Amino acid sequence: MSLIERFARLVPTGPLTPRRLRVLLSPQQVLCVVRQGGRLVEGSARQIAVDGAGGHWQAAIDALRTLLQQPDIAMAKLPLEISLSGRWSQLVLAPWSDALLSEPSASRFLQTQMAALYGDNARGWSVVGDDAPYGHTRLVCGVDSTLLQALKDVAAECGHACRVIEPLLATALRALEASQPKRPRKGAADAVGALALIEPGRITMAALRDGRIVAIQSQPASEAWRLELPQAWQRWTLRAPELAAIERIAVTDLSAMPPAHAPAPATALHLVPGALPSRFHLNANPFGERATASAAPPQAPSSTAKPEVAA
């Protein structure tokens, strides 16, 4: 069972339906798009700017409530698939331990691994790990328990089933896997690849093997991330030479900010596609092409034209 599936157990499961509302919660914006099977419904993407100064998640929760109260979204009541920015979903690779063989020792061990990296505040997080094979490192995700509860409360308040809450990196990985042609497995070496996730102010790189994350590295970034990403990858491979054999890195770019937060055009002229070396390949945005939604208070929802969000 993957980390995505295990983390989904922390939230209630809604009835099966061919459509979902995929939502991104981040300090700068809340995005949503309707997903039907493996495709995004054209024209359904929405965006609300968030004043995330200070990095607390409450402003994003309020923006999510406003979004879900848009008349057409409220009427459709689609189940939610919520992706959390790396700012609020912390990932770590935990070494193998015999403590992982049973509960509750496994939970205590994973919580201790999180606390060792992120401090005592992590002891109040909801923490889950994937089920990597015996003897292998485990990918562990930690999220503030009060944030998880707030998400479930807003979903219930607005009448939506909350199907999945997952780290944004997991969403990017799922979208990458869905875009790849199905090929027979030829062994671990053929399945190795990498994913780079770009968020405003941060680059997260992950090495993959057989669909699992086996190494992870994150660092701050500026608007010039296309110049910084190749340098970051090179520094990482110097510290982990086994990654140097990876020839293709898929890049998911979610760095575009709402107009209120975007840099002036003159500062972004250097962000041209050609700045990325050939080993880096841009993927489709898992949240589609965005249209700005009104950020008005819930009691005065926007009356702008409505995209297709029918169940």
Side-chain angles (χ1 to χ4, degrees):
M1 183 180 294
S2 70
L3 179 65
I4 300 167
E5 294 165 329
R6 292 172 68 86
F7 210 74
R9 290 186 172 187
L10 296 178
V11 298
T13 301
L16 293 177
T17 175
R19 291 194 173 193
R20 310 277 190 233
L21 190 65
R22 175 182 283 174
V23 178
L24 167 62
L25 211 72
S26 77
Q28 298 82 15
Q29 58 192 342
V30 172
L31 307 179
C32 78
V33 67
V34 177
R35 182 174 70 84
Q36 183 167 24
R39 70 177 185 88
L40 305 183
V41 175
E42 184 177 356
S44 67
R46 299 279 187 91
Q47 174 188 48
I48 291 183
V50 174
D51 182 6
H56 195 270
W57 43 259
Q58 186 59 56
I61 290 288
D62 295 339
L64 175 61
R65 180 182 289 105
T66 297
L67 189 67
L68 296 180
Q69 290 179 336
Q70 297 285 315
D72 53 332
I73 294 178
M75 183 180 298
K77 294 289 189 291
L78 297 179
L80 304 182
E81 296 178 342
I82 300 176
S83 304
L84 294 177
S85 163
R87 176 65 178 80
W88 300 320
S89 56
Q90 306 299 339
L91 296 171
V92 66
L93 283 168
W96 174 258
S97 168
D98 287 343
L100 295 169
L101 294 174
S102 62
E103 291 289 355
S105 63
S107 295
R108 288 197 300 266
F109 175 74
L110 297 180
Q111 201 91 43
T112 299
Q113 293 296 309
M114 274 287 174
L117 188 59
Y118 295 105
D120 286 341
N121 286 340
R123 297 191 183 279
W125 294 352
S126 293
V127 174
V128 294
D130 68 5
D131 62 344
Y134 180 91
H136 291 253
T137 57
R138 289 203 171 184
L139 181 65
V140 186
C141 180
V143 175
D144 186 340
S145 298
T146 54
L147 169 56
L148 282 179
Q149 188 59 51
L151 287 170
K152 290 186 280 186
D153 289 346
V154 168
E157 172 190 332
C158 296
H160 293 263
C162 198
R163 181 176 179 267
V164 171
I165 299 176
E166 66 186 9
L168 179 56
L169 186 64
T171 305
L173 179 57
R174 279 200 296 150
L176 172 63
E177 291 175 340
S179 69
Q180 301 300 309
K182 299 296 182 182
R183 293 177 297 180
R185 293 174 60 180
K186 300 178 182 179
D190 295 318
V192 172
L195 172 66
L197 173 64
I198 315 298
E199 296 184 75
R202 182 153 295 273
I203 294 171
T204 301
M205 300 172 292
L208 312 173
R209 182 179 295 115
D210 294 333
R212 293 183 180 273
I213 295 173
V214 294
I216 191 167
Q217 173 69 25
S218 186
Q219 70 171 55
S222 71
E223 290 87 0
W225 66 264
R226 292 176 186 260
L227 302 178
E228 297 167 0
L229 174 58
Q231 299 168 0
W233 178 260
Q234 184 178 31
R235 287 193 297 269
W236 194 23
T237 56
L238 289 175
R239 295 192 301 272
E242 66 277 10
L243 303 181
I246 296 176
E247 297 180 353
R248 185 180 179 91
I249 299 101
V251 180
T252 298
D253 177 18
L254 289 168
S255 65
M257 293 183 286
H261 300 280
T267 66
L269 291 179
H270 60 283
L271 303 184
V272 293
L276 282 175
S278 59
R279 71 167 58 195
F280 297 93
H281 301 266
L282 285 170
N283 284 337
N285 188 329
F287 296 90
E289 296 300 323
R290 301 185 288 279
T292 302
S294 169
Q299 63 269 26
S302 170
S303 59
T304 56
K306 307 175 182 61
E308 179 187 7
V309 195

